[in-house]
C-alpha cells in the first residue's frame, strides 16, 4: 500500500469519526472509573497519605493495614455473611416469583390480566420510602422485624423484575409451547422445561440487577437490623463515617472487599447480560 493511500485513509471522514469515537469512549470510561480507581488506591494508602493536602491519586507508599484492621474494627465476616444471605436469598426468590408472574402476564389468558399489569406498573412508580413505615409496622406485628426473614420476605418479588421478564417472554415465539400443549404438557412443565431454559439470559441479567441492588442497599437493612451483628455490609461500613471524623482507610478497604462479589458476578454472566439487555422488550 502506497504512502499516499495510507494518508488518504487516515484523513478520510470515516477514520476521523472512528478516532473521535474511540478517544471519546476512553475519556468517558476513565471519568466513570475514576471514583473506583481512587477508592482502590486509597485503600492501600497509609492514613497520613490519605489526609495529605493537596490530595494525590497514586500512593507514595503501599500498605495492607486497612485490610487487616477492618476485621477487628467491625464484625466484618459476620456482616459479609449477612449480606450474602440477604442479597443471595432475595435474588433467588425474586427470580422464581418474577419469572412466574411475568410468564403468566405474557403467555396466559385470564380475566383481569391487564388490570394486574397496570397495578404492577403503578407500583413500579411508587418510591420505596413511601411504603417503608407501613411495611415495617406490618412485619413488626407478625414478629419478623429485626430478623433476616423479615429483611428478605418483602423483597421476594419486584415490580421491575415482573415487567422485565414479561417483556422478554413476549419476544419468544409461541410455536414451542403450543406444540407442547398439543402433546399434553402441563402449564408448569411448559414453563419449567421449555420457557425457562430459553429465558436464561434475561434471568441472569435480572439476577445481576437484584443482587447488585440488594448487596449495596443501605436503608432497608439498616431499618430492619436490630444490632451490628444482624446488619449488612453497607450498614457496617457506614459506622466509619462519623459526625466529625471519617476513617477513610478502613472505609475504602471495606468498600473494595464489598465490591468483589458484584464484579465477579458480572464477569461470569457478562455475555448473558448483554444478550438479555439486547433481547428484552423485542416482540
Amino acid at each position: 500500500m502506497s504512502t499516499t493511500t495510507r494518508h488518504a485513509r487516515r484523513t478520510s471522514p470515516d477514520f476521523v469519526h472512528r478516532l473521535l469515537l474511540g478517544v471519546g469512549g476512553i475519556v468517558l470510561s476513565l471519568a466513570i472509573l475514576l471514583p473506583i480507581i481512587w477508592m482502590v488506591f486509597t485503600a492501600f494508602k497509609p492514613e497520613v497519605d490519605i489526609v495529605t493536602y493537596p490530595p494525590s491519586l497514586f500512593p507514595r507508599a503501599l500498605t495492607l493495614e486497612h485490610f487487616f484492621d477492618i476485621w477487628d474494627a467491625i464484625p466484618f465476616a459476620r456482616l459479609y455473611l449477612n449480606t450474602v444471605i440477604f442479597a443471595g436469598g432475595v435474588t433467588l426468590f425474586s427470580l422464581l416469583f418474577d419469572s412466574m408472574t411475568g410468564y403468566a402476564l405474557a403467555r396466559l389468558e385470564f380475566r383481569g390480566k391487564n388490570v394486574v399489569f397496570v397495578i404492577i406498573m403503578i407500583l413500579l412508580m411508587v418510591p420505596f420510602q413511601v411504603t417503608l413505615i407501613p411495611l415495617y409496622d406490618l412485619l413488626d406485628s407478625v414478629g419478623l422485624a429485626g430478623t433476616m426473614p423479615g429483611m428478605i420476605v418483602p423483597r421476594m418479588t419486584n415490580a421491575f423484575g415482573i415487567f422485565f421478564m414479561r417483556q422478554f417472554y413476549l419476544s419468544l415465539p409461541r410455536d414451542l409451547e403450543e406444540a407442547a400443549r398439543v402433546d399434553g404438557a402441563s402449564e408448569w412443565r411448559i414453563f419449567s422445561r421449555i420457557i425457562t431454559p430459553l429465558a436464561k439470559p434475561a434471568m441472569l441479567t435480572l439476577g445481576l440487577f437484584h443482587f447488585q441492588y440488594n448487596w449495596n442497599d443501605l436503608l432497608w437493612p439498616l431499618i430492619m437490623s436490630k444490632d451490628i451483628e444482624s446488619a449488612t455490609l453497607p450498614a457496617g461500613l457506614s459506622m466509619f463515617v462519623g459526625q466529625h471524623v471519617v476513617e477513610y482507610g478502613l472505609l475504602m478497604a471495606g468498600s473494595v472487599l464489598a465490591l468483589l462479589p458484584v464484579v465477579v458476578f458480572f464477569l461470569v454472566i457478562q455475555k448473558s447480560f448483554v444478550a438479555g439487555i439486547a433481547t428484552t422488550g423485542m416482540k
Side-chain angles (χ1 to χ4, degrees):
M1 184 182 296
S2 64
T3 305
T4 304
T5 304
R6 288 198 299 268
H7 179 72
R9 288 188 176 182
R10 291 175 181 174
T11 56
S12 65
D14 289 342
F15 177 80
V16 174
H17 180 67
R18 290 196 300 270
L19 179 62
L20 291 177
L21 285 178
V23 173
I26 293 174
V27 173
L28 182 60
S29 299
L30 290 176
I32 294 174
L33 291 175
L34 180 59
I36 299 178
I37 296 172
W38 193 290
M39 176 187 70
V40 174
F41 283 155
T42 303
F44 291 95
K45 289 180 181 179
E47 196 69 33
V48 63
D49 284 356
I50 296 176
V51 297
T52 298
Y53 186 85
S56 174
L57 174 62
F58 300 101
R60 289 177 293 183
L62 296 177
T63 180
L64 295 175
E65 62 176 328
H66 302 307
F67 290 94
F68 292 108
D69 292 345
I70 194 172
W71 298 90
D72 297 324
I74 57 175
F76 193 78
R78 181 65 185 179
L79 296 178
Y80 221 104
L81 179 61
N82 291 343
T83 312
V84 170
I85 295 174
F86 170 61
V90 169
T91 301
L92 293 177
F93 282 117
S94 294
L95 288 180
L96 175 63
F97 294 128
D98 292 351
S99 61
M100 292 173 62
T101 308
Y103 174 78
L105 292 174
R107 318 298 280 195
L108 304 181
E109 295 297 331
F110 57 90
R111 182 177 299 179
K113 182 175 76 169
N114 293 331
V115 176
V116 173
F117 180 66
V118 170
I119 293 175
I120 291 174
M121 294 303 297
I122 293 174
L123 292 175
L124 187 61
M125 294 179 283
V126 176
F128 171 70
Q129 291 79 3
V130 174
T131 62
L132 180 60
I133 295 177
L135 183 58
Y136 181 86
D137 288 340
L138 176 62
L139 293 172
D140 186 53
S141 65
V142 296
L144 291 179
T147 65
M148 184 60 69
M151 199 182 299
I152 294 176
V153 167
R155 297 283 179 90
M156 288 173 61
T157 188
N158 181 274
F160 169 76
I162 294 172
F163 171 76
F164 187 89
M165 293 306 301
R166 174 187 178 272
Q167 296 305 111
F168 183 85
Y169 288 137
L170 288 175
S171 68
L172 298 178
R174 294 182 175 269
D175 297 344
L176 292 176
E177 61 188 89
E178 294 296 339
R181 288 193 181 97
V182 171
D183 291 339
S186 64
E187 207 63 52
W188 174 254
R189 187 177 181 85
I190 294 173
F191 170 74
S192 60
R193 298 296 182 86
I194 298 176
I195 300 299
T196 298
L198 296 175
K200 180 182 176 182
M203 295 184 72
L204 288 175
T205 301
L206 182 61
L208 177 62
F209 287 152
H210 281 322
F211 186 80
Q212 180 182 10
Y213 175 76
N214 290 282
W215 183 272
N216 296 325
D217 190 19
L218 171 62
L219 180 59
W220 178 243
L222 187 62
I223 295 296
M224 288 299 296
S225 56
K226 58 184 178 181
D227 51 37
I228 186 62
E229 292 290 336
S230 61
T232 57
L233 270 177
L237 294 178
S238 66
M239 296 181 62
F240 296 124
V241 182
Q243 184 175 359
H244 303 290
V245 178
V246 179
E247 299 182 73
Y248 290 106
L250 295 176
L251 181 61
M252 295 300 109
S255 300
V256 170
L257 294 175
L259 182 66
L260 294 179
V262 179
V263 173
V264 172
F265 193 178
F266 175 77
L267 292 177
V268 170
I269 70 162
Q270 58 179 327
K271 292 184 179 179
S272 297
F273 177 81
V274 174
I277 292 296
T279 56
T280 300
M282 298 176 60
K283 185 177 180 182

